[in-house]
Amino acid sequence: MGAAALPAAGIVAAQARPKRIVISSANMNDGGLHCCAKAMEVIAGGGDTLDAVIAGVNIVELDPRDHSVGYGGLPNEDGVVELDASVVHGPSRRMGAVGALQNIKTPSQVAQRVMQDTDHMMLVGAGALKFAKAEGFKEEDIFTDEARAAWLMWKRALRDANGHSNWGPGVDAPPEARKTAVIREVQRRFPQIGEETLAELWDYAIHPPHGTINCIALNEKGEMSAVTTTSGMAWKLAGRLGDSPIVGGGLWLDQDIGGAGSTGRGEENLRVCGAHLIVENMHHGLPPKEAAIEALKRVARNFDNDRKRLEAIDLHFYVLRKDGEYCGASLWDRPSVETRRKAQLAVCTAEGSRHEDAVYLLERS
Ligand code: ASP
């Protein structure tokens, strides 16, 4: 064995008995806390770590109020919801993924079936849906009224260079503030959606927040698994895949080292292969926090460390090492849109579920 391999051997040799732990992105409506608690319950009952993290993220995939994952996710520019997911099963070192999957609420489960039931690692688009149906998944409409209302608001807010839009009242209509006019029109179409929700959906339409859920688990035998699932970037071009379904980009796990996953702007993560890079950084001896910060520095380097350009980017990593050491790490101290919240992760251990602050590379002024 060469000297270069020694630090990694050091990590594994030095570890204490593995702690049972689950981490995930925080997500809205305490989605991360519920996800981690569920995954922990499955692990505590003797379940497999991949079944555990998938059961956890299923809660968020099936929650219509989380507009960044699964059922209720925001659609692409054509008003079609396309979901992406990837899974890694540590003990068997197997992986699976689906991309641009339509009409199935739980893409994480389909990714697991790709891993278990096919000789492939990734299926996308019509082929992924065909496979899911063959496997017995129910095809259903996953575009909720709230997601459609947000999409219609986005379309109505778009203007050509002369400030004109074909989606909205004609030039003969009385002048009115754009936001008020758009909300009023959409309200006519969806009278069941309350004022407050419509105002929130306007914010979604104009500044789509980043979502996605990544979840990584470790059991007391030292077995690990991980999943990332998302509806991707809101209003994306049809067929766009981000980092979430890319094994090595939005998710990576090496049973001998640990795992990492991401949420945020997938394109920037893919330009550094973030999840794989972080696990490799740990392999070369960096602790989780430093391993993730190093990856974020590479993202910043791709912009020549120009804070102005980087300000438009949100990117978050979640890292769990094989000995139970973990962290969340974000490019910025708080996201660009949800300015009230600090960058956080959800964690569940024997002490229960909680939010913890992530470390970060840059501070917003
Ligand atoms: N990472 C996801 C993607 O790029 C989206 C997100 O987390 O907001 O598709």
Side-chain angles (χ1 to χ4, degrees):
M1 184 184 285
L6 285 174
I11 291 173
V12 179
Q15 75 191 28
R17 185 176 156 271
K19 302 171 205 151
R20 190 191 284 170
I21 178 169
V22 183
I23 68 165
S24 83
S25 46
N27 291 68
M28 61 191 307
N29 307 320
D30 289 337
L33 295 182
H34 296 308
C35 165
C36 290
K38 179 70 195 175
M40 185 57 93
E41 185 189 309
V42 174
I43 290 172
D48 175 73
T49 47
L50 183 57
D51 291 337
V53 291
I54 288 176
V57 299
N58 283 168
I59 294 174
V60 180
E61 289 177 322
L62 294 171
D63 180 357
R65 296 166 307 160
D66 191 317
H67 296 300
S68 68
V69 182
Y71 177 55
L74 295 178
N76 65 19
E77 66 171 357
D78 302 329
V80 177
V81 184
E82 293 191 328
L83 305 178
D84 307 325
S86 56
V87 299
V88 181
H89 184 240
S92 63
R93 298 176 186 274
R94 298 174 82 199
M95 300 153 193
V98 288
L101 173 66
Q102 298 178 13
N103 297 348
I104 304 288
K105 286 180 173 171
T106 52
S108 62
Q109 290 176 335
V110 185
Q112 184 182 29
R113 296 291 183 87
V114 172
M115 179 192 92
Q116 285 173 345
D117 297 352
T118 78
D119 191 28
H120 306 313
M121 192 185 284
M122 184 176 199
L123 294 176
V124 301
L129 176 60
K130 189 173 157 194
F131 167 76
K133 283 162 57 181
E135 287 277 315
F137 285 87
K138 194 159 117 216
E139 185 173 10
E140 47 197 330
D141 185 8
I142 60 172
F143 193 13
T144 60
D145 279 355
E146 281 195 10
R148 184 179 292 278
W151 174 64
L152 288 174
M153 285 191 197
W154 170 72
K155 281 180 92 69
R156 281 165 166 74
L158 293 177
R159 291 286 183 273
D160 68 15
N162 297 318
H164 178 72
S165 164
N166 290 328
W167 283 81
V171 283
D172 55 334
E176 198 175 9
R178 181 158 41 133
K179 175 175 174 180
T180 320
V182 167
I183 290 183
R184 200 171 36 74
E185 284 160 37
V186 173
Q187 193 166 34
R188 243 198 322 264
R189 169 100 198 258
F190 300 99
Q192 79 282 11
I193 303 180
E195 294 273 344
E196 211 176 300
T197 307
L198 284 170
E200 269 172 34
L201 294 177
W202 168 267
D203 284 338
Y204 269 117
I206 307 306
H207 311 286
H210 284 286
T212 305
I213 186 158
N214 164 252
C215 181
I216 314 175
L218 167 71
N219 69 12
E220 63 285 342
K221 288 186 262 174
E223 294 168 344
M224 298 188 75
S225 288
V227 58
T228 301
T229 175
T230 189
S231 53
M233 186 188 277
W235 331 136
K236 61 195 173 184
L237 300 188
R240 176 263 186 191
L241 299 181
D243 57 339
S244 307
I246 307 298
V247 173
L251 186 72
W252 184 251
L253 188 144
D254 184 318
Q255 177 58 51
D256 296 337
I257 304 162
S262 71
T263 66
R265 189 176 151 76
E267 280 74 3
E268 297 323 319
N269 181 28
L270 286 175
R271 290 212 285 159
V272 300
C273 268
H276 186 265
L277 177 61
I278 290 170
V279 174
E280 282 306 291
N281 284 344
M282 292 197 288
H283 180 58
H284 296 300
L286 290 187
K289 285 181 186 145
E290 282 78 359
I293 291 291
E294 274 308 307
L296 289 165
K297 283 183 183 164
R298 299 274 282 269
V299 173
R301 171 68 188 88
N302 282 342
F303 288 81
D304 295 324
N305 298 310
D306 179 343
R307 286 178 64 98
K308 267 265 139 305
R309 289 167 72 209
L310 285 164
E311 250 164 35
I313 297 164
D314 288 318
L315 188 58
H316 314 275
F317 290 117
Y318 310 91
V319 190
L320 178 57
R321 200 170 59 184
K322 204 191 168 212
D323 61 354
E325 191 66 35
Y326 65 92
C327 75
S330 300
L331 184 60
W332 292 96
D333 56 336
R334 55 195 158 81
S336 57
V337 180
E338 304 154 84
T339 46
R340 281 156 297 158
R341 268 203 306 119
K342 282 191 270 185
Q344 287 191 321
L345 76 158
V347 183
C348 189
T349 55
E351 288 77 49
S353 285
R354 60 195 175 273
H355 284 134
E356 290 187 11
D357 290 345
V359 293
Y360 53 85
L361 181 66
L362 302 166
E363 259 172 50
R364 290 193 191 276
S365 43

